[in-house]
Amino acid sequence: DIQMTQSPSSLSASVGDRVTITCRASRRIDAYLNWYQQRPGQAPNLLIYAASSLQGGVPSRFSGSGFGTDFTLTITGLQPEDFATYFCQQSYSTPYTFGQGTKLEIK
Amino acid sequence: QVQVVQSGAELRKPGASVKVSCKASGYTFSAYAIHWVRQAPGQRLEWMGWINAGTGNTKYSQRFEGRVTLTRDTSASTAYVELTSLGSEDTAVYYCARGPLGNYRLDSWGQGTLVTVSS
């Protein structure tokens, strides 16, 4: 199975900040990388697919980049509703594994 | 708009089975896949498998092979996951999610179904 490792596991930031979350795959996955946001008590919500494509309806302050094994999710200008947990997921080969999550908290 | 609605919470004893449903609306059910993902307390999301809602073809995570069955009823636009031989480690929130065929992102999720396994 492909292992997905996110860093950091938790992060404190303020409204208006720019934050970056990193996801590393244990082997090459080309651009088969998706990012999700999960608020407490809710289902995950797709933000970014194919490493850098913004899902419809997602604010443009979210962006993704990377290829191969290293990927980043960047949020530029944090809003109060962005404080949540973020997961990466590889869709290169089954089982489609997820990272352990990054919890973004208000400083 | 696209909606995916799951059945309600379940309580089962160890060794029993559970079947969770996932009703889709707002799109052509048979043109997409339905994936099943679970989240145990304090654990990362875990992908269980997917079903092509049009053909009925399935792909399972080896971790669940032999214990999980994915099915669908196209006339009801509903997908199902059945998990057998339940143990306490199967206590989790189970999610279904729609996925475009050919690019396996999960773009619309159900609200989740809590399955509790306890004697």
Side-chain angles (χ1 to χ4, degrees):
Chain A
D1 297 359
I2 298 174
Q3 307 303 314
M4 306 300 293
T5 304
Q6 289 179 235
S7 61
S9 294
S10 63
L11 175 60
S12 293
S14 301
V15 173
D17 283 355
R18 178 178 183 270
V19 299
T20 297
I21 298 169
T22 297
C23 180
R24 174 165 288 176
S26 60
R27 61 178 191 264
R28 177 178 169 146
I29 59 170
D30 294 344
Y32 290 90
L33 191 284
N34 309 309
W35 289 98
Y36 301 86
Q37 176 194 67
Q38 186 177 34
R39 298 191 177 104
Q42 296 186 18
N45 181 51
L46 177 66
L47 300 173
I48 301 285
Y49 65 94
S52 60
S53 295
L54 191 67
Q55 173 69 0
V58 174
S60 59
R61 62 179 179 273
F62 292 92
S63 62
S65 65
F67 188 89
T69 60
D70 295 308
F71 302 86
T72 59
L73 172 70
T74 300
I75 312 171
T76 303
L78 275 173
Q79 297 300 300
E81 62 269 27
D82 299 338
F83 292 94
T85 300
Y86 294 84
F87 295 93
C88 61
Q89 176 227 358
Q90 64 83 14
S91 54
Y92 182 81
S93 67
T94 60
Y96 298 134
T97 43
F98 291 82
Q100 80 278 19
T102 295
K103 187 173 184 179
L104 179 54
E105 298 174 305
I106 300 175
K107 185 182 288 184
Chain B
Q1 74 281 20
V2 175
Q3 278 199 306
V4 182
V5 179
Q6 299 181 223
S7 49
E10 302 275 9
L11 174 63
R12 292 287 185 274
K13 294 189 184 305
S17 300
V18 69
K19 191 171 186 176
V20 176
S21 69
C22 169
K23 182 169 177 59
S25 61
Y27 71 97
T28 302
F29 180 71
S30 58
Y32 288 79
I34 294 289
H35 297 251
W36 289 89
V37 175
R38 76 178 188 181
Q39 189 171 35
Q43 302 296 311
R44 68 180 68 194
L45 294 159
E46 183 174 28
W47 181 85
M48 300 176 67
W50 69 272
I51 183 167
N52 180 322
T55 65
N57 289 344
T58 55
K59 179 73 173 178
Y60 299 116
S61 168
Q62 276 198 319
R63 179 162 146 69
F64 298 97
E65 200 93 43
R67 278 209 308 141
V68 68
T69 304
L70 302 186
T71 56
R72 95 286 188 229
D73 177 351
T74 53
S75 67
S77 297
T78 301
Y80 304 89
V81 60
E82 183 172 22
L83 189 61
T84 61
S85 302
L86 292 168
S88 58
E89 68 279 5
D90 294 313
T91 293
V93 177
Y94 288 74
Y95 293 103
C96 63
R98 186 187 81 161
L101 295 170
N103 183 319
Y104 300 112
R105 63 186 186 267
L106 308 182
D107 65 5
S108 294
W109 293 62
Q111 81 278 18
T113 297
L114 175 62
V115 174
T116 303
V117 183
S118 174
S119 54

